Amino acid sequence: VLRAVKALKYVPHESARSLITRRTHTIGVLLPDMYGEFFSELIRGFDKEARARGLYLLVTSSHGNEAEVGRALRAMNGRVDGALVMSPFVHASLIDESLSTKLPVVLVNAPKSVKARHVVAVDNFGGACAMVRHLLSQGCRRIVHISGPSDNHDARERLRGFVAAMRRPYVEASQLGEVNDSSAARDLRPRAPSIGSDLSENVLVGDFSEESGYRAGQELARRRARPDAVFAANDMMAVGCLLALQEAGLRVPGEVAIAGFDDVPFTRYTSPPLTTIRARLDELARGAFEMLDAGSASTPAANSRPAHSLPPAAADRVIVPTELVVRRSSQWRTGLDEGA
Amino acid sequence: VLRAVKALKYVPHESARSLITRRTHTIGVLLPDMYGEFFSELIRGFDKEARARGLYLLVTSSHGNEAEVGRALRAMNGRVDGALVMSPFVHASLIDESLSTKLPVVLVNAPKSVKARHVVAVDNFGGACAMVRHLLSQGCRRIVHISGPSDNHDARERLRGFVAAMRRPYVEASQLGEVNDSSAARDLRPRAPSIGSDLSENVLVGDFSEESGYRAGQELARRRARPDAVFAANDMMAVGCLLALQEAGLRVPGEVAIAGFDDVPFTRYTSPPLTTIRARLDELARGAFEMLDAGSASTPAANSRPAHSLPPAAADRVIVPTELVVRRSSQWRTGLDEGA
DNA sequence: CTGAAAGCGCTTACAG
DNA sequence: CTGAAAGCGCTTACAG
């Protein structure tokens, strides 16, 4: 028998194999989209974690509505040992009816409103706060935010961080997140930049495209009271705005500082290089896989008491930190010196 | 019975399903790596084609040696309806012994030396020729190539195109590809730039990294007889070289023209924006999937005679064309005018 | 230690 | 038209 096996030409049929072993060594990944470098980096992070564990990735993307998401999830059933799902259309009941209940599922960048056991997310709020504080520390006072689409969760969180930090610049971001606006606890230190309850002066609505950033830049260049800093909700819009302001003859950062969000590769090569926020997508991927590990590990050991040494990141919700990446586009006073 | 099925909670087990239907609706994708925007774009192209056909993608990457490639291929067996494989370590026998014989396989960017039924590849040779001719048309005469690693097939083809076009600039690239160097047919028209049999003056060896392009740029800036154009084998090295030349006080494109290869996103944002070669990766993906379609379609209809209307791109080898993308970094004379 | 049987969850032809 | 049986290619426990 063993000779026959060794007599080459034979390769096991993995589908049949996993039917009985109940292991597929595959993680399903559902993404809303494949465009933009954000998703490339995310997939890269997932791939790295998968490789380290000897797992494969079953990838699907571009799901425009709930029905499509359901179909994609159902297609994963029995073919994956866990699923990583990122979609604006996902909610607990959809997952329940599309996926076997015993399958570990981790939601990526899901709003807090969707109740799920496991969630990993980027700290969009904290990153936006950090950027506002950085711009303030540069001496900027009239800061404008170009937001992403209002139905996008990341965009909303970044906007929320912008507004919160503008209103209460001296409070730590970590506290801001918890504080309710109507809280009785007030920050007593002086607030340099005031921001009205009407945000229309301080926020322009974009759609994450370079084109929308460009249009915003044109509008800002025309204003009588020009901002001294623009914080775009992503790098694409920041570079669009940069080009519009430069075309209008404004010096960046001399007259206007510019900053983005995401730290996509091209930010290093613009003139000036772009200050931005880097999300640790590698940590996000690691957190997601550790949750998956914990989830699948608990299934076979369901009868045994949980060991006192839990896996490192077996928390139900991992918020990965962001890093401020300061480049020339936001060196406002320095830029002024150079320009003068 | 039908009521029970509709009584929710039930989701079919796809692994068991595909065991009997012999269809997995999945295409396996094996990549050498996930780094760089080239792979992001490639995956995006594959994803788009897969979506259009209702297929899923089983992705694995970073296979450092033949054994790993074999393992990854074996893991696909019985789990995919076809495989797209791109790897420096792949050869016909490896595929034979790792994958079921009836599985359609398409090799991506494989050297001609590996004999395989289906191959899709980027026209690296033609693209490099086109770039050299463009630089010559700008009036450049002392053109230097920064090559990629010598064990990389794409890098070798680009180098081959550079040398061929430098030696016989007035011959069409399509002809160059076919002509043997020892061919008796000689080009009788004048050859403007002469290139010796010793390439050491005209070719610096890099490794596709920005760092290696930067070092090459430093070396070129020190030369007594500086080149008037640098053609790097990819965009990363081109931008590295650009930064080194600018640091050395040289005007680009005023004193030296620079060009890259790949047209990754950041090339639009450098100063000056980078002239480069765009490979139609969407067409490469389409060609690959059409071969897969043709391959799997023929299996069930093995007894019937092939229909007289074959699928469009059912050729055994698809070479996707490249496009020259001219931006400011290569506008040599214009750059000189500006500079002066 | 070796070999035949049962079964993973499905689909598909085939009796009733 | 409905329902029980066979079988996809494997693995695993269980007889011999």
Side-chain angles (χ1 to χ4, degrees), chain B residues 86-147:
Chain B
M86 176 170 182
S87 163
F89 304 106
V90 93
H91 50 258
S93 63
L94 216 202
I95 290 184
D96 276 357
E97 60 193 50
S98 305
L99 245 30
S100 163
T101 1
K102 50 202 49 160
L103 205 63
V105 176
V106 174
L107 263 41
V108 178
N109 261 19
K112 271 202 282 285
S113 61
V114 335
K115 267 293 156 238
R117 261 181 62 64
H118 299 301
V119 176
V120 291
V122 168
D123 185 13
N124 288 304
F125 180 86
C129 289
M131 182 58 84
V132 169
R133 284 201 303 278
H134 163 68
L135 293 171
L136 292 171
S137 79
Q138 293 295 306
C140 301
R141 286 299 173 268
R142 305 182 59 86
I143 307 176
V144 164
H145 182 60
I146 309 177
S147 76

Side-chain angles (χ1 to χ4, degrees), chain A residues 30-338:
Chain A
L30 188 147
L31 298 174
D33 203 328
M34 289 282 278
Y35 291 89
E37 320 198 45
F38 178 84
F39 294 104
S40 313
E41 269 190 79
L42 195 58
I43 290 185
R44 205 169 294 155
F46 288 158
D47 177 68
K48 193 182 157 213
E49 294 298 322
R51 288 276 308 157
R53 292 165 170 77
L55 299 173
Y56 303 91
L57 255 29
L58 187 67
V59 179
T60 73
S61 77
S62 301
H63 301 275
N65 58 58
E66 214 181 295
E68 278 192 290
V69 172
R71 214 174 303 143
L73 289 177
R74 255 169 278 132
M76 289 183 178
N77 232 291
R79 309 183 61 190
V80 300
D81 297 335
L84 267 19
V85 355
M86 175 169 184
S87 163
F89 304 107
V90 93
H91 50 258
S93 64
L94 217 203
I95 290 183
D96 276 357
E97 60 191 51
S98 305
L99 244 32
S100 162
T101 3
K102 50 202 46 158
L103 205 63
V105 176
V106 174
L107 263 41
V108 179
N109 260 20
K112 270 202 283 285
S113 61
V114 335
K115 267 293 155 238
R117 262 180 60 64
H118 299 302
V119 175
V120 292
V122 168
D123 186 12
N124 288 303
F125 180 86
C129 290
M131 182 58 83
V132 169
R133 285 201 303 278
H134 162 69
L135 293 171
L136 291 171
S137 79
Q138 294 295 306
C140 300
R141 287 299 173 269
R142 306 181 58 85
I143 307 176
V144 164
H145 182 60
I146 308 177
S147 76
S150 57
D151 60 355
N152 179 289
H153 177 245
D154 297 304
R156 280 201 307 264
E157 284 295 291
R158 291 169 193 182
L159 171 60
R160 209 168 62 81
F162 168 77
V163 172
M166 287 293 279
R167 290 214 170 119
R168 324 181 90 225
Y170 299 107
V171 180
E172 275 301 300
S174 58
Q175 295 173 37
L176 277 176
E178 326 253 324
V179 166
N180 191 307
D181 259 3
S182 62
S183 158
R186 308 277 283 159
D187 178 29
L188 296 176
R189 280 169 289 183
R191 331 175 182 174
S194 76
I195 183 172
S197 54
D198 176 16
L199 296 175
S200 61
E201 280 287 298
N202 294 281
V203 178
L204 295 180
V205 179
D207 61 8
F208 280 154
S209 72
E210 178 178 349
E211 172 65 18
S212 73
Y214 186 85
R215 281 193 306 266
Q218 287 181 317
E219 181 181 331
L220 293 173
R222 276 196 303 267
R223 282 197 186 173
R224 55 274 142 220
R226 265 202 316 268
D228 52 22
V230 178
F231 167 31
N234 77 346
D235 293 330
M236 285 308 297
M237 294 194 296
V239 78
C241 179
L242 170 66
L243 296 177
L245 294 180
Q246 288 176 332
E247 271 180 25
L250 294 169
R251 277 167 301 141
V252 176
E255 295 169 86
V256 188
I258 293 193
F261 204 116
D262 285 342
D263 194 34
V264 299
F266 73 66
T267 54
R268 299 174 48 217
Y269 303 112
T270 55
S271 291
L274 206 61
T275 290
T276 186
I277 296 286
R278 176 186 304 151
R280 299 295 309 268
L281 296 189
D282 52 341
E283 283 194 30
L284 185 141
R286 192 167 54 80
F289 271 78
E290 280 172 2
M291 282 180 174
L292 247 30
D293 290 346
S296 55
S298 69
T299 305
N303 47 353
S304 71
R305 291 291 86 199
H308 43 67
S309 63
L310 272 125
D316 279 1
R317 188 174 192 92
V318 169
I319 309 293
V320 302
T322 55
E323 293 171 6
L324 175 67
V325 181
V326 178
R327 300 202 182 93
R328 248 188 28 244
S329 73
S330 68
Q331 314 277 2
W332 192 49
R333 282 175 298 204
T334 314
L336 198 60
D337 290 350
E338 277 176 10

Side-chain angles (χ1 to χ4, degrees), chain B residues 23-336:
Chain B
R23 299 286 271 112
T24 63
H25 302 283
T26 303
I27 300 299
V29 176
L30 188 147
L31 297 175
D33 203 328
M34 288 282 278
Y35 290 90
E37 320 199 44
F38 178 84
F39 295 105
S40 313
E41 271 190 79
L42 194 58
I43 291 185
R44 206 167 295 155
F46 288 158
D47 177 68
K48 192 182 157 213
E49 295 298 322
R51 289 277 306 157
R53 292 165 172 76
L55 300 173
Y56 302 91
L57 254 29
L58 187 67
V59 180
T60 73
S61 77
S62 300
H63 301 274
N65 59 58
E66 214 181 295
E68 278 192 291
V69 172
R71 214 173 304 143
L73 289 177
R74 255 169 279 131
M76 288 182 178
N77 232 290
R79 307 183 63 191
V80 300
D81 297 335
L84 267 19
V85 357
M86 176 170 182
S87 163
F89 304 106
V90 93
H91 50 258
S93 63
L94 216 202
I95 290 184
D96 276 357
E97 60 193 50
S98 305
L99 245 30
S100 163
T101 1
K102 50 202 49 160
L103 205 63
V105 176
V106 174
L107 263 41
V108 178
N109 261 19
K112 271 202 282 285
S113 61
V114 335
K115 267 293 156 238
R117 261 181 62 64
H118 299 301
V119 176
V120 291
V122 168
D123 185 13
N124 288 304
F125 180 86
C129 289
M131 182 58 84
V132 169
R133 284 201 303 278
H134 163 68
L135 293 171
L136 292 171
S137 79
Q138 293 295 306
C140 301
R141 286 299 173 268
R142 305 182 59 86
I143 307 176
V144 164
H145 182 60
I146 309 177
S147 76
S150 57
D151 60 355
N152 179 289
H153 177 246
D154 297 303
R156 278 201 309 263
E157 284 295 291
R158 291 168 194 184
L159 171 60
R160 207 168 63 80
F162 169 77
V163 172
M166 288 292 280
R167 290 213 171 120
R168 327 181 89 224
Y170 299 107
V171 180
E172 275 302 301
S174 58
Q175 295 173 37
L176 277 175
E178 325 254 323
V179 166
N180 191 309
D181 259 3
S182 63
S183 158
R186 307 276 284 158
D187 178 28
L188 296 177
R189 279 168 289 182
R191 331 174 182 175
S194 76
I195 184 171
S197 54
D198 177 15
L199 296 175
S200 61
E201 281 286 298
N202 294 281
V203 177
L204 295 180
V205 178
D207 61 7
F208 279 155
S209 71
E210 178 178 350
E211 171 65 19
S212 72
Y214 186 85
R215 282 193 306 266
Q218 288 181 316
E219 182 181 330
L220 292 173
R222 277 195 303 267
R223 282 198 184 170
R224 54 278 142 217
R226 267 203 312 270
D228 52 23
V230 178
F231 167 31
N234 77 347
D235 293 329
M236 286 307 297
M237 295 195 295
V239 76
C241 180
L242 170 67
L243 295 176
L245 293 181
Q246 287 176 332
E247 270 179 27
L250 294 169
R251 278 167 301 142
V252 176
E255 293 169 89
V256 188
I258 292 192
F261 204 115
D262 284 343
D263 194 36
V264 299
F266 73 66
T267 54
R268 298 175 48 217
Y269 303 112
T270 56
S271 294
L274 206 61
T275 290
T276 186
I277 295 286
R278 175 187 304 152
R280 299 295 308 267
L281 296 189
D282 52 342
E283 282 194 30
L284 186 141
R286 191 166 56 81
F289 271 78
E290 281 172 2
M291 282 179 174
L292 248 30
D293 289 347
S296 55
S298 70
T299 306
N303 46 355
S304 71
R305 291 289 87 199
H308 43 67
S309 65
L310 273 126
D316 278 1
R317 188 173 192 92
V318 169
I319 309 294
V320 302
T322 55
E323 293 170 8
L324 175 68
V325 180
V326 178
R327 299 203 183 92
R328 247 188 30 243
S329 74
S330 68
Q331 314 277 1
W332 192 49
R333 283 175 296 202
T334 312
L336 198 60

